[in-house]
Amino acid sequence: MKQSRTTLAVASTTLIAGVSLAVSADTLHPAVETLVGLGYPAPQEDELVHIPPTMADLEASDMHPETKAVIRRGHDLFTNTQQLRGENVHNDMNCSSCHLGEGRQPFSAPVWAAAVTLPDYRGKNDHVNNLEERIAGCFAYSMNGTPPEYGSDDMLALTAYHQWLAKGAPMYPDQPIYGRGFPPPERPDELSYASGEALYMENCAICHSEDGSGLYQDGEYIFPPPWGDGSNNWGAGLVRVFTAAGFIKNNMPLGQPNSLSDQEAWDIAYYMSSQERPQDPRYTGDVAETLERFGPTFHRHSLYGQEGPDGEILADHANWGEKGDEITPWNVGVPRFEALKEALEAQ
Amino acid sequence: MNGKRFMGTSKRITGGLGLLLGVGLAAGQAVALEGDAERGQAAAGTCVACHQADGSGMNVPGGESWPRLAGMDADYIAKQLHDFQEGRRQSASMLPFANMLDDQQIVDVAAYYSEMPVTEAQGGDDVDDALLARGEKLALRGDWDAYIVSCMSCHGPRNEGAGSDFPGISSQHAGYIESQLRAWQADERRNDPQNLMGAVAKRMSDEDIRAVSAWLASQSVASE
């Protein structure tokens, strides 16, 4: 059997909680079976399959009541990040707008993966990041905001929730992680803006609206905006067309993953990525210069600074969205370990 | 409006086409027809037998429940009435009554019911706590291990509805919710846009259906 050597790390109170189980999985976990039934790939040999615990498992666990309360708070912040609106969040998103299923879901960038692989080097900011800094990144870009302070109550609660989800998974695993990130489907030869637009109107607009503004009703979050002022800014991971294609193919339309063909997912991603959104916080004041600086590590995968559908240059503006130009995320462009880096380079 | 029924073709009309037609009608109405609640009250004279004078409907255990219409979104109500008329939604009980209404009367009764305060639902009592807890989980957080997306992520905050496409299901009768979920499972109800509801319903077990129906019925909706 192909899956027989897959390491299955299951953290659940029904099994030995908190122990990394290297079991020979002749049968797949029901959650993985569901995924395979929905057209996701089955785990490859040697992939690490981790089924994160649920909030019910947390309640049933015998952790200290205060620890439970803090993890619960982290879950609440993750699924209702709008409670930090105006302070740390300046758009219409929750963390769970992109990390579906409360951050547990494979193929929807399950966030526990960061808890067992960090601290690690990250190309986007060219130094070693820990879990707090990784989360801070999603605040600065995906939430178009500025992160809670390192070590603050909110940051601690969020990291506690991430770590709780990783319960039972091995630290610094040698194996690749099953369902990590938003794995993109194979890129087709040609991408079509026109078909992307038509497909978006047919499959997505009912929830995300025709103009991409999503749906807020009586001031309450319902559907997040895939572009525009209320969306993630130009520096967020989802602006890379392949990441958007991976997100869409694996997660949208909501409830019907893998229902679009690879071509359709890419065309819609291309259409979506060609729309405007708030400026990248790394903007130097000049779109071409910003592109030159961050192209090699990031924007060569996005349409930043490229010609848009109406012939104008995308992201050639100083529109920061609701954040305005007063607030700059304190974590962006802050180097670390400079002395170490110099020493390494001198070797 | 008997002339515009095309029952024979209903089986071949897909959810997607249903949506297009529905949107077309709704858009057309927005320009041409405006609902009037007072006229609606007159047109709703025959409806009270089942849906009751206060729009509360009735939970009928072991029989066919009548849905609460009070406080439902007007465009959603109008879409359902057109769907009954045109065979996109099947119900032997409702069909003759839907057919009594012309397009103007449809928007009128829709306005009439939408303006009523939401009433309490039945079928959520006498259910054990474990089942209710399961129902609450499905409604608010879903069960992603079975790829059941939370009802709330489409039906809006507190499951009280989102726009005109996603009806409020909180404080709806348990018997009615159950019957609709089962109808989707059996492909007997297919008038949802893009199969959005059908895809989720088909992943639910019998227990899931009983649990979520009971929990939703036990919720009160605060009227403004």
Side-chain angles (χ1 to χ4, degrees):
Chain A
M1 255 200 95
K2 199 155 194 223
Q3 287 95 35
S4 63
R5 270 189 284 151
T6 302
T7 304
L8 188 63
V10 181
S12 151
T13 46
T14 52
L15 294 163
I16 320 161
V19 179
S20 167
L21 298 174
V23 294
S24 150
D26 283 329
T27 49
L28 294 172
H29 186 281
V32 178
E33 246 171 55
T34 303
L35 294 174
V36 174
L38 286 166
Y40 293 98
Q44 294 294 300
E45 214 173 302
D46 286 341
E47 263 182 338
L48 170 67
V49 179
H50 169 67
I51 312 294
T54 63
M55 292 310 284
D57 294 329
L58 177 71
E59 299 312 330
S61 83
D62 52 13
M63 290 170 103
H64 193 283
E66 254 187 64
T67 313
K68 283 194 199 178
V70 167
I71 294 173
R72 225 181 275 128
R73 166 81 181 148
H75 171 266
D76 187 53
L77 283 167
F78 194 88
T79 52
N80 174 16
T81 328
Q82 285 296 304
Q83 64 190 291
L84 304 179
R85 184 77 176 247
E87 207 175 319
N88 306 107
V89 175
H90 294 279
N91 68 7
D92 294 343
M93 299 272 195
N94 295 316
C95 304
S96 53
S97 300
C98 298
H99 301 283
L100 302 197
E102 311 167 282
R104 293 175 73 243
Q105 193 61 13
F107 303 95
S108 194
V111 294
W112 62 268
V116 297
T117 55
L118 300 178
D120 195 9
Y121 176 80
R122 193 159 180 239
K124 186 168 178 179
N125 52 20
D126 188 31
H127 60 249
V128 170
N129 291 212
N130 67 358
L131 181 56
E132 283 194 329
E133 188 165 5
R134 184 67 189 81
I135 292 173
C138 270
F139 271 102
Y141 302 106
S142 290
M143 315 301 285
N144 194 35
T146 187
E149 295 295 325
Y150 293 151
S152 64
D153 288 1
D154 285 345
M155 192 53 110
L156 198 154
L158 274 168
T159 53
Y161 178 59
H162 284 61
Q163 255 170 267
W164 159 254
L165 291 179
K167 180 182 165 82
M171 192 63 199
Y172 283 133
D174 293 321
Q175 306 153 284
I177 292 171
Y178 175 65
R180 188 175 186 184
F182 301 109
E186 204 174 317
R187 188 188 170 113
D189 295 335
E190 300 280 338
L191 301 184
S192 162
Y193 183 89
S195 100
E197 177 170 24
L199 288 161
Y200 176 87
M201 297 307 163
E202 207 178 298
N203 297 288
C204 324
I206 185 171
C207 297
H208 293 289
S209 89
E210 291 188 4
D211 66 0
S213 60
L215 181 64
Y216 249 64
Q217 192 170 281
D218 304 327
E220 287 187 290
Y221 169 97
I222 300 176
F223 301 122
W227 67 83
D229 281 1
S231 191
N232 53 273
N233 65 43
W234 272 107
L238 209 60
V239 307
R240 295 171 303 186
V241 185
F242 75 85
T243 306
F247 176 88
I248 293 168
K249 172 86 184 180
N250 287 303
N251 298 287
M252 291 291 142
L254 188 68
Q256 300 178 69
N258 299 311
S259 60
L260 299 165
S261 71
D262 294 358
Q263 178 79 53
E264 289 171 331
W266 272 93
D267 285 349
I268 299 173
Y270 182 61
Y271 169 71
M272 192 179 104
S273 308
S274 305
Q275 312 303 323
E276 271 303 346
R277 52 182 69 258
Q279 182 54 266
D280 187 334
R282 299 169 295 183
Y283 184 57
T284 63
D286 181 81
V287 67
E289 188 188 37
T290 311
L291 178 59
E292 200 181 304
R293 194 174 300 178
F294 299 103
T297 51
F298 192 83
H299 280 304
R300 70 196 164 98
H301 298 296
S302 82
L303 296 172
Y304 188 90
Q306 311 287 316
E307 202 172 292
D310 304 323
E312 78 298 348
I313 297 298
L314 289 168
D316 188 9
H317 58 70
N319 172 14
W320 304 94
E322 186 185 290
K323 184 170 58 166
D325 51 14
E326 301 284 291
I327 303 162
T328 36
W330 53 261
N331 58 321
V332 169
V334 181
R336 266 174 179 267
F337 298 113
E338 284 177 297
L340 270 181
K341 210 186 268 288
E342 270 169 38
L344 266 180
E345 273 155 17
Q347 270 173 21
Chain B
M1 286 276 106
N2 290 335
K4 61 191 275 209
R5 264 184 290 137
F6 33 102
M7 295 287 294
T9 59
S10 64
K11 281 276 186 287
R12 270 174 282 135
I13 296 176
T14 65
L17 181 55
L19 168 71
L20 290 176
L21 291 170
V23 166
L25 284 165
Q29 280 159 10
V31 186
L33 303 176
E34 208 174 309
D36 179 283
E38 240 168 82
R39 281 198 310 257
Q41 180 169 19
T46 55
C47 320
V48 296
C50 299
H51 295 288
Q52 309 299 306
D54 62 355
S56 61
M58 194 174 288
N59 193 55
V60 184
E64 186 181 58
S65 295
W66 302 315
R68 158 179 70 79
L69 300 179
M72 300 284 286
D73 179 85
D75 289 339
Y76 172 79
I77 293 179
K79 175 198 177 255
Q80 299 306 313
L81 290 168
H82 284 290
D83 285 354
F84 285 124
Q85 284 189 341
E86 281 147 40
R88 288 188 295 269
R89 182 172 172 185
Q90 323 272 340
S91 164
S93 308
M94 251 318 286
L95 182 62
F97 296 94
N99 280 339
M100 289 166 58
L101 305 170
D102 63 24
D103 287 359
Q104 181 63 54
Q105 286 171 317
I106 284 182
V107 290
D108 290 344
V109 294
Y112 174 58
Y113 283 114
S114 72
E115 287 173 14
M116 290 181 177
V118 175
T119 50
E120 297 285 313
Q122 290 108 44
D125 314 326
D126 302 328
V127 181
D128 70 76
D129 287 349
L131 199 70
L132 281 181
R134 172 80 187 153
E136 177 177 17
K137 177 182 153 73
L138 291 170
L140 303 184
R141 294 191 297 282
D143 180 357
W144 284 82
D145 288 357
Y147 219 94
I148 300 171
V149 182
S150 77
C151 317
M152 190 184 83
S153 51
C154 285
H155 290 281
R158 297 168 301 283
N159 287 296
E160 289 173 14
S164 298
D165 292 309
F166 303 94
I169 51 174
S170 240
S171 198
Q172 181 58 277
H173 299 298
Y176 175 70
I177 298 175
E178 276 196 51
S179 73
Q180 298 308 300
L181 293 173
R182 287 190 212 289
W184 263 298
Q185 286 192 329
D187 281 331
E188 285 158 11
R189 182 167 176 185
R190 321 175 51 157
N191 66 327
D192 51 330
Q194 299 171 218
N195 188 32
L196 291 171
M197 189 58 234
V200 177
K202 290 203 170 100
R203 295 182 198 125
M204 298 176 77
S205 68
D206 280 355
E207 185 182 291
D208 290 341
I209 290 181
R210 276 186 288 118
V212 80
S213 304
W215 189 81
L216 288 166
S218 73
Q219 301 303 296
S220 315
V221 172
S223 294
E224 304 99 77

